[in-house]
Amino acid sequence: MKTYLLTTAAALGALSAMTLAAPAADLIEPPVYIEPQPLPVPVEEVSTAGWYIRGDVGYAFSSKTDGYYKYQRGYATAHGYDIFLDQAHYESIETDDAFLVSGGLGYRFNQFARVDLTADYFSTDLRGSTNCAGYPGSVCRYDDSSDVDIWTVMANAYVDLGTYGRITPYVGAGLGFANVSYGSMNNKFDCDQAVVGHGGPICGTSGKHEGQSSWRFAYGLAAGASVDITSSLKFDAGYKWTHIRGGEAYGFDAEDRAAGFSGVQSWDHGFDIHTIRAGLRYEFGGGGVGKGKGPMPVEPMPVYDPVPVQEDVVWK
């Protein structure tokens, strides 16, 4: 009988434990996945400083200026005929349109500021015209023709105005020097009436004046935009205005030299050169497509919140 009671009590105890364990198992929650929030990725600022080279081709539009020249004058004296030099205004000196080439070496300080040293060259024909000294233009005019080679060497500074996609507009200014080298000028007298000079009739005659070469002060302004082709190669297109100060133009012809005159006979008052140009610029610095931007951010690894661990329930 005692054994029967013990067996019955053990069975009841086991049944009670199983009944209580079921609700306890429901207290253990399954793991919960939480969508990771992207962590802020520090953007490393890329240095854009570095050297660059550039090459351009362009088009120089016709430029018009004026000048002055010296000419022979004379008067009779008791001892003969004295000749001296007087000065007159030269009305028009005009260059033709021309193609130009340009190259340079520069340095970029940051994504906004850069400087370069450039050399430009173009050669063009030139025409000149003014009234003959001492005569109105309706009676006698000079009809002159020549050519000129112009070099400019300038130090330039630019400000890039921000990058929009792959396009970076800019403005710039430069200072430097220009070499203006004139070829020989054919000086023809074009008359509507008979005009007589010191040596006789001059209508239809011509003389040759040797061209002068001189270095002058020059300065300019520029504006344009560059397009990022790659992280280092840029396509650059823009406009540039350059002012070249006046200087020597031509010497005396053979007749004047025979009369004892030498040196420079005529001067120009300088040129305003308007050009459009396009070319390539290769930057050796940090560069980048859209200058100043850091490297592409790295996708962060998923971050999981720790799964709560259910402690064992102890039933007393």
Side-chain angles (χ1 to χ4, degrees):
M1 182 67 180
K2 182 177 181 180
T3 302
Y4 174 79
L5 290 175
L6 291 174
T7 302
T8 302
L12 292 173
L15 181 61
S16 299
M18 292 176 61
T19 304
L20 292 173
D26 293 340
L27 296 178
I28 302 177
E29 298 179 357
V32 177
Y33 175 79
I34 300 176
E35 185 71 23
Q37 298 297 319
L39 299 178
V41 178
V43 177
E44 178 186 357
E45 192 71 17
V46 176
S47 172
T48 59
W51 295 95
Y52 66 82
I53 56 176
R54 62 178 303 164
D56 300 272
V57 294
Y59 193 78
F61 294 97
S62 174
S63 177
K64 189 174 183 179
T65 186
D66 59 0
Y68 64 95
Y69 67 102
K70 296 179 179 180
Y71 67 98
Q72 291 188 40
R73 288 191 64 183
Y75 59 92
T77 67
H79 305 287
Y81 196 80
D82 286 347
I83 299 176
F84 64 97
L85 290 178
D86 203 349
Q87 183 172 301
H89 176 244
Y90 196 98
E91 295 177 2
S92 175
I93 304 171
E94 186 173 3
T95 65
D96 288 345
D97 296 349
F99 291 100
L100 68 82
V101 292
S102 175
L105 173 67
Y107 187 83
R108 175 179 291 282
F109 296 100
N110 51 48
Q111 61 178 312
F112 298 110
R114 56 188 173 89
V115 296
D116 60 31
L117 181 68
T118 57
D120 297 358
Y121 169 77
F122 69 93
S123 178
T124 181
D125 291 332
L126 177 147
R127 300 178 305 278
S129 180
T130 192
N131 62 297
C132 301
Y135 293 92
S138 60
V139 175
C140 178
R141 295 188 65 80
Y142 295 126
D143 182 13
D144 302 330
S145 60
S146 182
D147 59 81
V148 62
D149 294 339
I150 297 179
W151 283 91
T152 59
V153 179
M154 302 186 71
N156 308 285
Y158 305 91
V159 176
D160 288 346
L161 304 177
T163 299
Y164 306 92
R166 292 174 177 260
I167 300 175
T168 304
Y170 65 82
V171 294
L175 295 172
F177 297 92
N179 180 265
V180 180
S181 181
Y182 287 98
S184 296
M185 179 183 70
N186 182 45
N187 172 221
K188 182 180 178 181
F189 291 88
D190 186 8
C191 309
D192 292 334
Q193 302 177 20
V195 177
V196 179
H198 299 299
I202 60 174
C203 295
T205 64
S206 62
K208 179 171 288 189
H209 298 256
E210 292 301 321
Q212 304 294 305
S213 179
S214 62
W215 284 95
R216 299 108 172 271
F217 179 66
Y219 54 89
L221 299 173
S226 63
V227 180
D228 297 333
I229 299 175
T230 68
S231 61
S232 299
L233 186 63
K234 321 292 178 183
F235 172 77
D236 191 313
Y239 160 82
K240 187 174 184 179
W241 164 77
T242 304
H243 178 73
I244 301 174
R245 297 289 297 272
E248 300 174 352
Y250 296 97
F252 289 94
D253 63 11
E255 180 183 345
D256 291 330
R257 293 196 303 270
F261 300 109
S262 62
V264 180
Q265 183 181 15
S266 62
W267 291 258
D268 65 64
H269 284 152
F271 294 92
D272 288 306
I273 308 297
H274 299 271
T275 62
I276 54 174
R277 56 189 66 206
L280 297 175
R281 187 172 75 240
Y282 188 86
E283 302 195 3
F284 297 96
V289 175
K291 292 181 287 293
K293 297 179 180 178
M296 293 293 293
V298 179
E299 186 70 23
M301 295 294 292
V303 178
Y304 300 93
D305 283 356
V307 178
V309 178
Q310 178 69 41
E311 296 182 355
D312 295 336
V313 178
V314 179
W315 299 95
K316 295 182 180 179

